[in-house]
Amino acid sequence: ILLYTSLFTVLPQCAAALFDQHVPAERALHEPQLYEYTLHARCYRIWSYWINILDAIWQSATIFFIAYFAYAKHADIDALVFGFSIAFSMTITSMIHVVLQTKRIDLALVSSIAFSLLVFLGFTLIMDATCILCLNGQSPYHVSYMAFRQGLFWLTNLFTIILAMLPRFFVKCIYNSTGNPLLRNDQKEHVPSSTQDTRF
């Protein structure tokens, strides 16, 4: 769990926070009114908080229960394969979540996601190939290798990731269509001045 939060998924989050730009620098200088949206905390609402909480609960429940019911009737699959399937879904879902939340997808974001995925897969494959008795309890030896050869693993993860991200995707589409102030300003720029409301 510590590796998941500190090594496998933190880099894309940092890249999005550092390099993501909602608007180009030139537009920000010429349209200072765009800062009003965050200056007056219009993007921080209690309903936004609860939407994120509910989305997190949905993603967690989806990732766990789909894997649970997919592997429940397979006696030949142990708990380590089940756990690896959940970890794989969590990692991929987290990376897709960053992409959905990012305004602009650039080289820094793509590189950070690719690097994090390679680190996750590299660490997992190396550990599973060498760790035989290095952990208490069951040995993770060749767990990921066995999981990658199973069609059930890929079908479960594909279905899990799509279902987990659907609510976030739909909410993002609705927000960008109706509530995003930056897009509303873009649309106003393409409306003739004679049709714009000049009361404000």
Side-chain angles (χ1 to χ4, degrees), residues 60-81:
S60 302
T62 301
I63 290 172
F64 176 81
F65 284 108
I66 289 181
Y68 175 79
F69 287 115
Y71 289 112
K73 296 182 180 180
H74 293 268
D76 57 326
I77 297 178
D78 59 16
L80 289 177
V81 175

PDB file of all heavy atoms in Angstrom, residues 60-81:
ATOM      1  N   SER A  60     -13.662   2.273  -5.316  1.00  0.00           N
ATOM      2  CA  SER A  60     -13.140   1.255  -4.393  1.00  0.00           C
ATOM      3  C   SER A  60     -14.028   0.020  -4.365  1.00  0.00           C
ATOM      4  O   SER A  60     -13.535  -1.113  -4.436  1.00  0.00           O
ATOM      5  CB  SER A  60     -13.026   1.850  -2.978  1.00  0.00           C
ATOM      6  OG  SER A  60     -12.188   2.977  -2.962  1.00  0.00           O
ATOM      7  N   ALA A  61     -15.347   0.244  -4.268  1.00  0.00           N
ATOM      8  CA  ALA A  61     -16.273  -0.888  -4.223  1.00  0.00           C
ATOM      9  C   ALA A  61     -16.268  -1.654  -5.537  1.00  0.00           C
ATOM     10  O   ALA A  61     -16.296  -2.902  -5.541  1.00  0.00           O
ATOM     11  CB  ALA A  61     -17.684  -0.381  -3.908  1.00  0.00           C
ATOM     12  N   THR A  62     -16.203  -0.941  -6.653  1.00  0.00           N
ATOM     13  CA  THR A  62     -16.190  -1.600  -7.954  1.00  0.00           C
ATOM     14  C   THR A  62     -14.950  -2.464  -8.119  1.00  0.00           C
ATOM     15  O   THR A  62     -15.029  -3.625  -8.550  1.00  0.00           O
ATOM     16  CB  THR A  62     -16.255  -0.556  -9.082  1.00  0.00           C
ATOM     17  OG1 THR A  62     -17.453   0.209  -8.943  1.00  0.00           O
ATOM     18  CG2 THR A  62     -16.232  -1.224 -10.444  1.00  0.00           C
ATOM     19  N   ILE A  63     -13.788  -1.911  -7.789  1.00  0.00           N
ATOM     20  CA  ILE A  63     -12.536  -2.651  -7.946  1.00  0.00           C
ATOM     21  C   ILE A  63     -12.522  -3.905  -7.076  1.00  0.00           C
ATOM     22  O   ILE A  63     -12.103  -4.984  -7.518  1.00  0.00           O
ATOM     23  CB  ILE A  63     -11.344  -1.731  -7.621  1.00  0.00           C
ATOM     24  CG1 ILE A  63     -11.183  -0.670  -8.714  1.00  0.00           C
ATOM     25  CG2 ILE A  63     -10.052  -2.542  -7.470  1.00  0.00           C
ATOM     26  CD1 ILE A  63     -10.153   0.389  -8.396  1.00  0.00           C
ATOM     27  N   PHE A  64     -12.997  -3.777  -5.836  1.00  0.00           N
ATOM     28  CA  PHE A  64     -12.953  -4.940  -4.940  1.00  0.00           C
ATOM     29  C   PHE A  64     -13.989  -5.993  -5.307  1.00  0.00           C
ATOM     30  O   PHE A  64     -13.666  -7.178  -5.471  1.00  0.00           O
ATOM     31  CB  PHE A  64     -13.152  -4.497  -3.493  1.00  0.00           C
ATOM     32  CG  PHE A  64     -13.206  -5.654  -2.535  1.00  0.00           C
ATOM     33  CD1 PHE A  64     -12.034  -6.249  -2.085  1.00  0.00           C
ATOM     34  CD2 PHE A  64     -14.422  -6.173  -2.110  1.00  0.00           C
ATOM     35  CE1 PHE A  64     -12.074  -7.333  -1.219  1.00  0.00           C
ATOM     36  CE2 PHE A  64     -14.469  -7.258  -1.245  1.00  0.00           C
ATOM     37  CZ  PHE A  64     -13.294  -7.834  -0.795  1.00  0.00           C
ATOM     38  N   PHE A  65     -15.243  -5.581  -5.441  1.00  0.00           N
ATOM     39  CA  PHE A  65     -16.311  -6.572  -5.565  1.00  0.00           C
ATOM     40  C   PHE A  65     -16.339  -7.261  -6.923  1.00  0.00           C
ATOM     41  O   PHE A  65     -16.699  -8.440  -7.014  1.00  0.00           O
ATOM     42  CB  PHE A  65     -17.665  -5.927  -5.260  1.00  0.00           C
ATOM     43  CG  PHE A  65     -17.884  -5.698  -3.789  1.00  0.00           C
ATOM     44  CD1 PHE A  65     -17.846  -4.421  -3.268  1.00  0.00           C
ATOM     45  CD2 PHE A  65     -18.104  -6.764  -2.946  1.00  0.00           C
ATOM     46  CE1 PHE A  65     -18.034  -4.204  -1.909  1.00  0.00           C
ATOM     47  CE2 PHE A  65     -18.302  -6.571  -1.583  1.00  0.00           C
ATOM     48  CZ  PHE A  65     -18.261  -5.282  -1.058  1.00  0.00           C
ATOM     49  N   ILE A  66     -15.955  -6.562  -7.984  1.00  0.00           N
ATOM     50  CA  ILE A  66     -15.905  -7.243  -9.279  1.00  0.00           C
ATOM     51  C   ILE A  66     -14.826  -8.323  -9.264  1.00  0.00           C
ATOM     52  O   ILE A  66     -15.037  -9.444  -9.735  1.00  0.00           O
ATOM     53  CB  ILE A  66     -15.666  -6.230 -10.410  1.00  0.00           C
ATOM     54  CG1 ILE A  66     -16.916  -5.384 -10.621  1.00  0.00           C
ATOM     55  CG2 ILE A  66     -15.309  -6.952 -11.712  1.00  0.00           C
ATOM     56  CD1 ILE A  66     -16.789  -4.378 -11.729  1.00  0.00           C
ATOM     57  N   ALA A  67     -13.655  -7.990  -8.713  1.00  0.00           N
ATOM     58  CA  ALA A  67     -12.601  -9.002  -8.599  1.00  0.00           C
ATOM     59  C   ALA A  67     -13.029 -10.138  -7.668  1.00  0.00           C
ATOM     60  O   ALA A  67     -12.759 -11.315  -7.937  1.00  0.00           O
ATOM     61  CB  ALA A  67     -11.318  -8.351  -8.097  1.00  0.00           C
ATOM     62  N   TYR A  68     -13.709  -9.784  -6.589  1.00  0.00           N
ATOM     63  CA  TYR A  68     -14.146 -10.814  -5.628  1.00  0.00           C
ATOM     64  C   TYR A  68     -15.098 -11.807  -6.282  1.00  0.00           C
ATOM     65  O   TYR A  68     -14.928 -13.029  -6.176  1.00  0.00           O
ATOM     66  CB  TYR A  68     -14.807 -10.141  -4.421  1.00  0.00           C
ATOM     67  CG  TYR A  68     -15.403 -11.114  -3.441  1.00  0.00           C
ATOM     68  CD1 TYR A  68     -14.603 -11.792  -2.528  1.00  0.00           C
ATOM     69  CD2 TYR A  68     -16.777 -11.375  -3.440  1.00  0.00           C
ATOM     70  CE1 TYR A  68     -15.142 -12.694  -1.626  1.00  0.00           C
ATOM     71  CE2 TYR A  68     -17.332 -12.277  -2.556  1.00  0.00           C
ATOM     72  CZ  TYR A  68     -16.502 -12.931  -1.647  1.00  0.00           C
ATOM     73  OH  TYR A  68     -17.050 -13.839  -0.761  1.00  0.00           O
ATOM     74  N   PHE A  69     -16.116 -11.287  -6.965  1.00  0.00           N
ATOM     75  CA  PHE A  69     -17.093 -12.191  -7.576  1.00  0.00           C
ATOM     76  C   PHE A  69     -16.507 -12.917  -8.792  1.00  0.00           C
ATOM     77  O   PHE A  69     -16.933 -14.021  -9.127  1.00  0.00           O
ATOM     78  CB  PHE A  69     -18.341 -11.410  -7.980  1.00  0.00           C
ATOM     79  CG  PHE A  69     -19.183 -10.993  -6.811  1.00  0.00           C
ATOM     80  CD1 PHE A  69     -19.360  -9.655  -6.504  1.00  0.00           C
ATOM     81  CD2 PHE A  69     -19.787 -11.942  -6.000  1.00  0.00           C
ATOM     82  CE1 PHE A  69     -20.127  -9.272  -5.412  1.00  0.00           C
ATOM     83  CE2 PHE A  69     -20.566 -11.569  -4.913  1.00  0.00           C
ATOM     84  CZ  PHE A  69     -20.733 -10.233  -4.621  1.00  0.00           C
ATOM     85  N   ALA A  70     -15.527 -12.287  -9.467  1.00  0.00           N
ATOM     86  CA  ALA A  70     -14.909 -12.946 -10.616  1.00  0.00           C
ATOM     87  C   ALA A  70     -14.067 -14.149 -10.191  1.00  0.00           C
ATOM     88  O   ALA A  70     -14.024 -15.170 -10.888  1.00  0.00           O
ATOM     89  CB  ALA A  70     -14.046 -11.949 -11.386  1.00  0.00           C
ATOM     90  N   TYR A  71     -13.386 -14.022  -9.033  1.00  0.00           N
ATOM     91  CA  TYR A  71     -12.494 -15.097  -8.597  1.00  0.00           C
ATOM     92  C   TYR A  71     -13.115 -16.008  -7.542  1.00  0.00           C
ATOM     93  O   TYR A  71     -12.489 -16.994  -7.137  1.00  0.00           O
ATOM     94  CB  TYR A  71     -11.209 -14.495  -8.020  1.00  0.00           C
ATOM     95  CG  TYR A  71     -10.309 -13.861  -9.052  1.00  0.00           C
ATOM     96  CD1 TYR A  71     -10.108 -12.482  -9.073  1.00  0.00           C
ATOM     97  CD2 TYR A  71      -9.660 -14.628 -10.007  1.00  0.00           C
ATOM     98  CE1 TYR A  71      -9.274 -11.893 -10.024  1.00  0.00           C
ATOM     99  CE2 TYR A  71      -8.843 -14.055 -10.960  1.00  0.00           C
ATOM    100  CZ  TYR A  71      -8.650 -12.684 -10.955  1.00  0.00           C
ATOM    101  OH  TYR A  71      -7.835 -12.111 -11.902  1.00  0.00           O
ATOM    102  N   ALA A  72     -14.336 -15.706  -7.082  1.00  0.00           N
ATOM    103  CA  ALA A  72     -14.914 -16.442  -5.957  1.00  0.00           C
ATOM    104  C   ALA A  72     -15.105 -17.926  -6.264  1.00  0.00           C
ATOM    105  O   ALA A  72     -14.927 -18.785  -5.389  1.00  0.00           O
ATOM    106  CB  ALA A  72     -16.246 -15.815  -5.559  1.00  0.00           C
ATOM    107  N   LYS A  73     -15.478 -18.248  -7.488  1.00  0.00           N
ATOM    108  CA  LYS A  73     -15.783 -19.635  -7.840  1.00  0.00           C
ATOM    109  C   LYS A  73     -14.606 -20.375  -8.463  1.00  0.00           C
ATOM    110  O   LYS A  73     -14.788 -21.473  -8.990  1.00  0.00           O
ATOM    111  CB  LYS A  73     -16.980 -19.672  -8.792  1.00  0.00           C
ATOM    112  CG  LYS A  73     -18.264 -19.147  -8.165  1.00  0.00           C
ATOM    113  CD  LYS A  73     -19.433 -19.248  -9.135  1.00  0.00           C
ATOM    114  CE  LYS A  73     -20.716 -18.725  -8.496  1.00  0.00           C
ATOM    115  NZ  LYS A  73     -21.875 -18.819  -9.421  1.00  0.00           N
ATOM    116  N   HIS A  74     -13.429 -19.760  -8.412  1.00  0.00           N
ATOM    117  CA  HIS A  74     -12.246 -20.396  -8.993  1.00  0.00           C
ATOM    118  C   HIS A  74     -11.326 -20.850  -7.848  1.00  0.00           C
ATOM    119  O   HIS A  74     -10.537 -20.062  -7.318  1.00  0.00           O
ATOM    120  CB  HIS A  74     -11.526 -19.437  -9.925  1.00  0.00           C
ATOM    121  CG  HIS A  74     -12.316 -19.102 -11.160  1.00  0.00           C
ATOM    122  ND1 HIS A  74     -12.191 -19.803 -12.339  1.00  0.00           N
ATOM    123  CD2 HIS A  74     -13.247 -18.143 -11.379  1.00  0.00           C
ATOM    124  CE1 HIS A  74     -13.011 -19.288 -13.245  1.00  0.00           C
ATOM    125  NE2 HIS A  74     -13.662 -18.276 -12.683  1.00  0.00           N
ATOM    126  N   ALA A  75     -11.445 -22.100  -7.487  1.00  0.00           N
ATOM    127  CA  ALA A  75     -10.668 -22.625  -6.361  1.00  0.00           C
ATOM    128  C   ALA A  75      -9.181 -22.693  -6.672  1.00  0.00           C
ATOM    129  O   ALA A  75      -8.352 -22.753  -5.760  1.00  0.00           O
ATOM    130  CB  ALA A  75     -11.189 -24.009  -5.972  1.00  0.00           C
ATOM    131  N   ASP A  76      -8.813 -22.704  -7.972  1.00  0.00           N
ATOM    132  CA  ASP A  76      -7.415 -22.828  -8.339  1.00  0.00           C
ATOM    133  C   ASP A  76      -6.676 -21.483  -8.275  1.00  0.00           C
ATOM    134  O   ASP A  76      -5.463 -21.435  -8.508  1.00  0.00           O
ATOM    135  CB  ASP A  76      -7.292 -23.401  -9.751  1.00  0.00           C
ATOM    136  CG  ASP A  76      -8.032 -22.550 -10.779  1.00  0.00           C
ATOM    137  OD1 ASP A  76      -9.093 -21.980 -10.419  1.00  0.00           O
ATOM    138  OD2 ASP A  76      -7.563 -22.467 -11.923  1.00  0.00           O
ATOM    139  N   ILE A  77      -7.373 -20.399  -7.960  1.00  0.00           N
ATOM    140  CA  ILE A  77      -6.759 -19.066  -7.879  1.00  0.00           C
ATOM    141  C   ILE A  77      -6.661 -18.665  -6.413  1.00  0.00           C
ATOM    142  O   ILE A  77      -7.671 -18.631  -5.699  1.00  0.00           O
ATOM    143  CB  ILE A  77      -7.581 -18.032  -8.675  1.00  0.00           C
ATOM    144  CG1 ILE A  77      -7.582 -18.400 -10.155  1.00  0.00           C
ATOM    145  CG2 ILE A  77      -7.025 -16.628  -8.472  1.00  0.00           C
ATOM    146  CD1 ILE A  77      -8.409 -17.486 -11.024  1.00  0.00           C
ATOM    147  N   ASP A  78      -5.450 -18.352  -5.954  1.00  0.00           N
ATOM    148  CA  ASP A  78      -5.258 -18.050  -4.540  1.00  0.00           C
ATOM    149  C   ASP A  78      -5.458 -16.568  -4.264  1.00  0.00           C
ATOM    150  O   ASP A  78      -5.735 -15.757  -5.155  1.00  0.00           O
ATOM    151  CB  ASP A  78      -3.887 -18.524  -4.062  1.00  0.00           C
ATOM    152  CG  ASP A  78      -2.742 -17.874  -4.828  1.00  0.00           C
ATOM    153  OD1 ASP A  78      -2.975 -16.863  -5.508  1.00  0.00           O
ATOM    154  OD2 ASP A  78      -1.618 -18.389  -4.753  1.00  0.00           O
ATOM    155  N   ALA A  79      -5.288 -16.206  -2.998  1.00  0.00           N
ATOM    156  CA  ALA A  79      -5.527 -14.829  -2.557  1.00  0.00           C
ATOM    157  C   ALA A  79      -4.521 -13.854  -3.144  1.00  0.00           C
ATOM    158  O   ALA A  79      -4.832 -12.666  -3.331  1.00  0.00           O
ATOM    159  CB  ALA A  79      -5.481 -14.763  -1.027  1.00  0.00           C
ATOM    160  N   LEU A  80      -3.310 -14.306  -3.451  1.00  0.00           N
ATOM    161  CA  LEU A  80      -2.299 -13.412  -3.986  1.00  0.00           C
ATOM    162  C   LEU A  80      -2.634 -12.966  -5.407  1.00  0.00           C
ATOM    163  O   LEU A  80      -2.406 -11.822  -5.779  1.00  0.00           O
ATOM    164  CB  LEU A  80      -0.924 -14.086  -3.950  1.00  0.00           C
ATOM    165  CG  LEU A  80      -0.315 -14.258  -2.556  1.00  0.00           C
ATOM    166  CD1 LEU A  80       1.006 -14.999  -2.647  1.00  0.00           C
ATOM    167  CD2 LEU A  80      -0.113 -12.907  -1.881  1.00  0.00           C
ATOM    168  N   VAL A  81      -3.173 -13.855  -6.217  1.00  0.00           N
ATOM    169  CA  VAL A  81      -3.610 -13.472  -7.557  1.00  0.00           C
ATOM    170  C   VAL A  81      -4.783 -12.493  -7.464  1.00  0.00           C
ATOM    171  O   VAL A  81      -4.859 -11.505  -8.209  1.00  0.00           O
ATOM    172  CB  VAL A  81      -4.002 -14.720  -8.376  1.00  0.00           C
ATOM    173  CG1 VAL A  81      -4.568 -14.312  -9.734  1.00  0.00           C
ATOM    174  CG2 VAL A  81      -2.801 -15.627  -8.553  1.00  0.00           C
TER     175      VAL A  81
END
